[in-house]
């Protein structure tokens, strides 16, 4: 039964907390402190502080920690899933609707407008990554990684996961 409670404690705030983590924190507090009494207000504030200190979305970190405290590793997994489930369900529903109406003139116009915007955003992000890499690691390391990655991906069709792992090893060996 604890896993059902963990799921509900994080699923409901995920549905109702429009705007992400900061909007759902009071809802999570209501569930964790008032409804299930898993933590006191002070313990919850400490959990919140720990969650804020770590990178990434706060609601998922809090769900993992509180879920782990209440139900071990399975509780952490249930809490994490419950936090992302509302977004996952909504994405699947919206994708289903989009695929159902993909031949619609309105959807085609929407796609025609969105694709160039996404391409520009990816281009800007790529430029920022290259700039940060050249500044942080040096221009030569950046050029070497860029050329080797391009060859591996485009010429030899190596899976991107292996290219990323290779870049991590390169960084660990030559940049540490």
């Amino acid at each position: 039964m604890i896993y059902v409670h963990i799921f509900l404690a994080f699923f409901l705030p995920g549905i109702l907390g429009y705007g992400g983590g900061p909007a759902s924190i009071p809802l999570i507090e209501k569930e964790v402190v008032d409804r299930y009494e898993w933590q006191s207000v002070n313990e919850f504030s400490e959990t919140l502080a720990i969650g804020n200190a770590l990178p990434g979305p706060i609601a998922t970190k809090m769900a993992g920690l509180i879920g782990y405290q209440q139900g071990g590793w399975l509780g952490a997994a249930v809490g994490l899933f419950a936090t992302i489930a509302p977004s996952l369900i909504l994405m699947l529903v919206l994708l289903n609707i989009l695929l159902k109406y993909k031949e619609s003139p309105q959807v085609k116009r929407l796609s025609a407008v969105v694709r160039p915007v996404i391409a520009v955003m990816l281009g800007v992000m790529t430029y920022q990554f290259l700039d940060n890499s050249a500044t942080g690691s040096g221009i030569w390391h950046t050029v070497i990684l860029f050329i080797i990655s391009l060859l591996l991906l485009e010429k030899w069709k190596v899976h991107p996961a292996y290219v990323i792992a290779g870049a991590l090893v390169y960084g660990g060996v030559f940049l540490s």
Side-chain angles (χ1 to χ4, degrees):
M1 192 66 176
I2 187 67
Y3 301 114
V4 173
H5 289 164
I6 293 170
F7 182 83
L8 292 174
F10 293 102
F11 184 76
L12 296 174
I15 290 174
L16 302 173
Y18 180 77
S24 64
I25 289 171
L27 300 170
I28 293 171
E29 180 183 18
K30 181 76 174 162
E31 297 292 317
V32 170
V33 174
D34 296 337
R35 184 171 182 190
Y36 295 111
E37 298 177 351
W38 291 331
Q39 292 184 336
S40 67
V41 173
N42 288 338
E43 290 170 331
F44 186 82
S45 65
E46 290 174 4
T47 301
L48 181 61
I50 291 170
N52 272 327
L54 299 172
I58 189 164
T60 55
K61 293 178 285 190
M62 292 179 71
L65 177 62
I66 295 167
Y68 180 76
Q69 289 173 339
Q70 298 306 311
W73 287 109
L74 183 57
V78 169
L80 182 61
F81 177 73
T83 303
I84 63 171
S87 298
L88 179 66
I89 292 167
L90 184 60
M91 285 176 49
L92 291 173
V93 168
L94 292 175
L95 179 62
N96 191 27
I97 292 170
L98 184 63
L99 290 175
K100 182 177 178 181
Y101 295 105
K102 69 181 178 182
E103 298 302 321
S104 158
Q106 292 88 352
V107 171
K108 286 184 178 184
R109 280 196 300 268
L110 176 70
S111 296
V113 170
V114 169
R115 281 189 184 132
V117 171
I118 292 173
V120 168
M121 290 171 64
L122 287 172
V124 169
M125 183 180 68
T126 301
Y127 173 77
Q128 290 172 342
F129 283 166
L130 286 172
D131 185 49
N132 287 340
S133 177
T135 303
S137 302
I139 189 70
W140 292 113
H141 289 293
T142 302
V143 169
I144 288 168
L145 280 173
F146 180 79
I147 291 171
I148 291 172
S149 298
L150 184 65
L151 288 172
L152 288 170
L153 290 169
E154 295 300 321
K155 184 174 182 180
W156 294 304
K157 306 294 184 199
V158 175
H159 192 278
Y162 296 123
V163 176
I164 292 169
L168 288 172
V169 169
Y170 178 92
V173 171
F174 294 106
L175 301 176
S176 55

